[in-house]
């Protein structure tokens, strides 16, 4: 059902009456510079978003700005971080819209989205539990273990997401290539237009 | 096995970029009167300085590894030339100007002033190569949008929202010009329209930055003058220029 929706998103939505008319998704992907600018903006926004969250998390871990209250670092840096995150989500969504089916059957993208959910859960837990006692340890050079762990988890997730995002561009596990069943299953290759080719058929597919 | 290694170096290149970005943004914004403004610029630098240094070393080392793997392609790339000029400008501005000025809490010594001049000239050279590099020119739009974000983050009160409104009008005009007034595919007309509006946007951003700086010095809010703000803003934007040129190596 998800795949059917994405097929419509990629090829149906906004398509004109003529057979050669492109959908909005195809028009975005085929644009002369706009897609490249979106992708470049998504990448460069990491300087803002991950760069700022790096500073916030390292403060929470008690590594840098140990003499600055956590609340002050948050008040000044979180607006920048949130602005960066919102812009990253917007450009990321637009990039997904340009090639939904490619990303849907891409293992790195799937892991990246799972990590995004994990990051959001981590943020929610931080706000609901850890931050409530902030006044008790606001000025401590090294915050309590729960806060430090939350920051370490946050930083690890964002770094892992950068790795996944970079690896999406590589075709190592593209559907249609002979590869282990587990990868074909994780990417739902059988439903993709290229199908699922098991490793045992590697010779027949002409691979080395 | 070159490909997987190459991909790993690219990941570390991006992580180094993130460190550079975070460090430049924190210290640069502080010098321009925004961000962690309750702390002295020297304290802001001391906190993030090591990360900035690791980022700079990391970007050069991973960049050499990546560049060595496709040197032939880079040899002919205008984007790569722009990137190298911006890299030199970035290193000079970061460690020759931003660092000493932040550590002196905004006082600009002779060495820092000279480094600022040299860095700005190299950055201008990078921008000219970027601008005249043919297919890579649209990548300069990244620098414009980043400059708009820096001005947004450092301007205050009503001036900030007038600025945002102006940027919105220019972007709407770009869309109208290239999608409504000029038929799709008519690049002979769309191209000059885009370029002209990009210049309007650059002028609007520079004007807003100047107006913010003037208003602050009139109110006596900048005890150390306007130069630290220029150094802060330029250091952020020069790294954005290097990163944008780096990305457009692959696009053009």
């Amino acid at each position: 059902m998800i795949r059917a929706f994405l097929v419509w998103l990629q090829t149906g939505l906004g398509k004109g009456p003529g057979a050669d008319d492109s959908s909005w998704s195809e028009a975005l992907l085929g644009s002369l510079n706009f897609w490249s600018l979106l992708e470049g903006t998504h990448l460069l926004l990491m300087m803002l978003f991950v760069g700022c969250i790096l500073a916030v998390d390292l403060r929470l871990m008690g590594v840098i700005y140990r003499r600055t209250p956590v609340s002050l670092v948050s008040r000044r840096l979180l607006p920048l971080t949130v602005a960066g995150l919102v812009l990253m989500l917007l450009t990321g969504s637009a990039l997904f819209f340009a090639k939904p089916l490619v990303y849907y059957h891409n293992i790195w993208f799937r892991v990246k989205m799972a990590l995004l959910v994990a990051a959001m859960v981590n943020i929610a837990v931080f706000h609901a539990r850890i931050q409530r006692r902030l006044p008790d340890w606001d000025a401590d050079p090294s915050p309590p273990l729960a806060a430090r762990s939350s920051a370490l988890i946050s930083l690890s997730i964002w770094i892992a997401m950068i790795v996944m995002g970079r690896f999406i561009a590589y075709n190592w596990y593209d559907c249609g290539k002979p590869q282990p069943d587990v990868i074909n299953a994780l990417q739902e290759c059988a439903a993709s237009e290229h199908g699922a080719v098991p490793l045992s058929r590697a010779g027949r597919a002409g691979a080395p | 096995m070159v490909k997987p290694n190459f991909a790993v170096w690219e990941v570390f290149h991006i992580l180094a970029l993130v460190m550079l970005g975070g460090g430049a943004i924190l210290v640069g914004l502080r010098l321009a009167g925004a961000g962690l403004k309750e702390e002295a610029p020297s304290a802001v630098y001391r906190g993030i300085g090591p990360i900035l240094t690791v980022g700079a070393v990391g970007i050069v080392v991973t960049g050499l590894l990546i560049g060595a793997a496709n040197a032939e392609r880079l040899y002919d790339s205008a984007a790569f030339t722009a990137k190298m000029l911006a890299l030199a400008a970035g290193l000079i501005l970061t460690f020759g100007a931003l660092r000493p000025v932040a550590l002196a809490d905004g006082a600009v010594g002779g060495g820092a002033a000279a480094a600022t001049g040299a860095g700005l000239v190299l950055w201008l050279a990078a921008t000219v190569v970027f601008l005249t590099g043919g297919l890579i020119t649209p990548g300069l739009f990244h620098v414009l949008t980043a400059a708009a974000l820096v001005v947004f983050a450092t301007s205050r009160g009503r001036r900030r929202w007038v600025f945002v409104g102006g940027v919105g009008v220019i972007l709407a005009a770009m869309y109208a010009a290239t999608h409504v007034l000029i038929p799709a595919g008519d690049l002979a007309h769309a191209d000059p329209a885009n370029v002209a509006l990009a210049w309007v946007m650059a002028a609007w951003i520079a004007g807003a930055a100047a107006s913010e700086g003037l208003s602050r010095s009139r109110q006596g809010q900048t005890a150390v003058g306007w130069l630290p703000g220029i150094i802060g803003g330029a250091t952020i934007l020069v790294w954005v220029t290097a990163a944008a040129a780096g990305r457009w190596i692959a696009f053009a």
Side-chain angles (χ1 to χ4, degrees), chain A:
Chain A
M1 205 177 80
I2 297 175
R3 192 188 139 82
F5 169 72
L6 294 179
V7 168
W8 170 77
L9 202 63
Q10 182 167 313
T11 60
L13 181 64
K15 188 173 168 66
D20 291 336
D21 290 341
S22 52
S23 68
W24 285 336
S25 166
E26 290 158 348
L28 174 58
L29 185 62
S31 67
L32 188 57
N33 289 309
F34 192 67
W35 185 88
S36 302
L37 280 172
L38 269 179
E39 206 269 0
T41 305
H42 191 66
L43 173 80
L44 296 194
L45 278 168
M46 276 196 281
M47 294 166 82
L48 174 63
F49 170 57
V50 190
C52 287
I53 212 160
L54 174 71
V56 173
D57 283 342
L58 287 179
R59 171 61 188 98
L60 273 174
M61 286 159 70
V63 178
I64 64 172
Y65 296 129
R66 290 162 58 91
R67 274 186 263 169
T68 312
V70 170
S71 60
L72 183 64
V73 172
S74 304
R75 186 160 71 241
R76 291 302 174 207
L77 297 188
L78 279 185
L80 298 170
T81 316
V82 171
L85 177 62
V86 168
L87 291 171
M88 288 210 78
L89 290 173
L90 285 175
T91 50
S93 305
L95 290 169
F96 177 78
F97 178 69
K99 303 189 241 186
L101 291 172
V102 168
Y103 296 125
Y104 182 66
H105 292 292
N106 183 294
I107 191 160
W108 308 111
F109 179 80
R110 289 182 169 217
V111 176
K112 188 178 178 181
M113 288 306 104
L115 287 168
L116 181 60
V117 172
M120 294 303 154
V121 170
N122 188 51
I123 291 173
V125 170
F126 182 81
H127 280 283
R129 304 227 158 173
I130 303 165
Q131 209 183 23
R132 259 193 304 180
R133 299 225 184 100
L134 179 65
D136 299 342
W137 48 268
D138 193 16
D140 292 1
S142 187
L145 183 64
R148 280 184 281 141
S149 316
S150 175
L152 182 63
I153 292 169
S154 157
L155 211 49
S156 312
I157 291 176
W158 295 119
I159 291 173
M161 281 186 71
I162 292 178
V163 179
M164 296 302 118
R166 183 56 258 192
F167 282 6
I168 289 172
Y170 288 93
N171 61 358
W172 301 322
Y173 296 119
D174 278 2
C175 287
K177 284 187 159 190
Q179 54 198 347
D181 292 340
V182 60
I183 296 200
N184 277 325
L186 283 173
Q187 303 186 130
E188 291 177 60
C189 282
S192 82
E193 55 274 44
H194 304 292
V197 180
L199 211 48
S200 52
R201 273 205 273 147
R204 238 180 295 165

Side-chain angles (χ1 to χ4, degrees), chain B residues 84-96 119 122-123 234-235 238-239 242:
Chain B
M84 287 303 102
L85 287 167
L87 171 69
L91 292 173
I92 290 172
L93 277 172
T94 303
F95 297 104
L122 278 169
W123 183 33
T235 307
V238 76
W239 288 120

Side-chain angles (χ1 to χ4, degrees), chain B:
Chain B
M1 287 303 282
V2 164
K3 271 285 177 183
N5 283 344
F6 189 78
V8 170
W9 297 328
E10 280 184 322
V11 165
F12 281 104
H13 200 57
I14 295 173
L15 291 178
L17 175 72
V18 161
M19 291 184 185
L20 271 177
I25 287 169
L26 254 68
V27 184
L29 285 185
R30 178 63 192 85
L31 285 184
L36 270 172
K37 46 192 174 186
E38 284 83 356
E39 296 285 352
S42 54
V44 174
Y45 189 90
R46 280 201 195 93
I48 205 82
I51 288 170
L52 204 46
T53 306
V54 171
V57 172
I59 208 94
V60 172
V61 171
T62 54
L64 283 170
L65 289 167
I66 295 168
N70 57 354
E72 219 171 319
R73 176 180 190 177
L74 299 179
Y75 186 75
D76 257 350
S77 162
F80 180 72
T81 308
K83 183 180 165 111
M84 287 303 102
L85 287 167
L87 171 69
L91 292 173
I92 290 172
L93 277 172
T94 303
F95 297 104
L98 184 87
R99 179 177 185 277
V101 171
L103 287 176
D105 286 327
V108 185
T116 305
L120 289 178
V121 167
L122 278 169
W123 183 33
L124 183 69
T127 319
V128 170
V129 173
F130 215 148
L131 192 62
T132 54
L135 293 172
I136 60 169
T137 309
L140 262 182
F141 203 70
H142 291 306
V143 184
L144 272 186
T145 45
L149 284 176
V150 170
V151 170
F152 176 79
T154 50
S155 56
R156 298 165 198 182
R158 204 198 304 171
R159 193 172 284 106
R160 168 183 272 187
W161 299 107
V162 171
F163 171 69
V164 172
V167 171
V169 168
I170 295 168
L171 290 177
M174 274 181 170
Y175 183 84
T178 52
H179 287 76
V180 182
L181 301 175
I182 300 167
D186 184 1
L187 292 179
H189 290 99
D191 234 21
N194 255 331
V195 171
L197 283 164
W199 279 112
V200 172
M201 188 160 161
W204 178 251
I205 293 167
S211 134
E212 182 69 27
L214 274 178
S215 120
R216 277 194 225 173
S217 42
R218 224 177 282 142
Q219 292 166 6
Q221 285 174 342
T222 50
V224 289
W226 45 268
L227 194 52
I230 303 240
I231 293 171
T235 307
I236 297 173
L237 294 180
V238 76
W239 288 120
V240 171
T241 309
R247 191 66 196 99
W248 282 72
I249 290 172
F251 287 156

